[in-house]
Amino acid sequence: MSDAAQPTAAEVRAAAEAVKTALDRHLAAVERRSGEDDPAVYEAFNELAAAAEEYDELLYDRYDEVTPFEIPGSDDALPPYTGPEEPNSLSVLIRRDYAVVEPQRLLAQAQRVEAVEESGVVTAGFDAASGTVHGALGVLFGEFEPDEIASRHKEFGLEEGDSTLWVTASDEPAEPGEWLDAPFDQADTHQVVCRFDVSAVFDDDADDDIEDEVDDAVEPELEGALDEAEVEAENLRARNADR
């Protein structure tokens, strides 16, 4: 970051004061909470997380220092919930990413589906008979449920990427056809009740944790073995000296 863009010392100090204030508010909310899922505690938690993250960023930008705070990704990824306490309607938003790693396998699967159709298939404007990837995708996603494709993605020449599922709440269900023209434009992150993410990033983190645990478990054993080897070597040198 350039010197001109760096935060001032006063801005860093103000961010630190904001963390202190958020800490006091969070503790007060916890002390007054009415139940396990008290929304006031949830809101105070998110405010504290946001304040800590802001301070951490400014501290690093100004002084090249970091804090010991670790903000859970699933909590700081969403703003505080402001939807209805007792929703009358739910929307489930799903995104799944795939890489097309074997186009020929994808085309072959689409051709198999076409073979059992009496009059061929034209789905979403793509003709699979043309042998295009677009056409094959139209056939397969028209024939199989998304969950089935997710469980059989390798058969279709696909490789899984990241995926996420959001459950959002609202007061009233949408009217038929109301959002079909722009189905994803009305997603309000403030109304997300819960979300579930799948990513290889999480697998890498878990692998790192496992490696650390293995190293911690193995190192004492190695140290003990090295100590025994040193003792044996010393005994051997003493015996040779006696000779």
Side-chain angles (χ1 to χ4, degrees), residues 51-133:
E53 184 176 18
E54 176 70 10
Y55 172 62
D56 188 87
E57 290 179 356
L58 293 178
L59 186 71
Y60 182 80
D61 291 342
R62 176 68 184 182
Y63 300 110
D64 199 25
E65 290 289 345
V66 296
T67 69
F69 305 142
E70 183 176 352
I71 311 301
S74 60
D75 289 315
D76 68 10
L78 291 174
Y81 175 75
T82 60
E85 294 184 6
E86 297 183 2
N88 296 314
S89 175
L90 295 176
S91 294
V92 180
L93 310 178
I94 301 175
R95 171 173 173 167
R96 293 180 176 135
D97 284 2
Y98 298 96
V100 181
V101 292
E102 296 183 77
Q104 293 305 317
R105 182 183 292 271
L106 182 72
L107 295 170
Q109 289 285 7
Q111 290 168 1
R112 291 190 185 97
V113 172
E114 278 191 311
V116 300
E117 297 289 340
E118 294 181 358
S119 57
V121 175
V122 177
T123 305
F126 299 118
D127 186 357
S130 65
T132 66
V133 171

Side-chain angles (χ1 to χ4, degrees), residues 206-219:
D207 291 341
D208 291 341
D209 292 340
I210 291 173
E211 289 177 2
D212 291 341
E213 292 175 0
V214 170
D215 290 341
D216 292 341
V218 171
E219 284 178 0

Side-chain angles (χ1 to χ4, degrees), residues 7 11 17 37 41 53 75-76 137 145 159 167 180 216 231:
E11 289 174 328
E17 293 299 326
D37 297 323
V41 175
E53 184 176 18
D75 289 315
D76 68 10
L137 290 172
E145 293 291 333
E159 182 178 282
V167 179
L180 290 179
D216 292 341
V231 171

Side-chain angles (χ1 to χ4, degrees), residues 8-9 36 45 57 64 75 77 94 103 135-136 156 170 176 186 208 219 222 228-229 235 241:
T8 65
E36 185 176 349
F45 173 89
E57 290 179 356
D64 199 25
D75 289 315
I94 301 175
F156 303 126
S170 57
Q186 297 181 8
D208 291 341
E219 284 178 0
L222 290 176
E228 293 178 2
N235 291 338

Side-chain angles (χ1 to χ4, degrees), residues 161-181:
D162 289 355
S163 67
T164 186
L165 182 151
W166 293 15
V167 179
T168 65
S170 57
D171 288 314
E172 299 295 336
E175 295 293 330
E178 179 180 343
W179 48 257
L180 290 179
D181 290 339

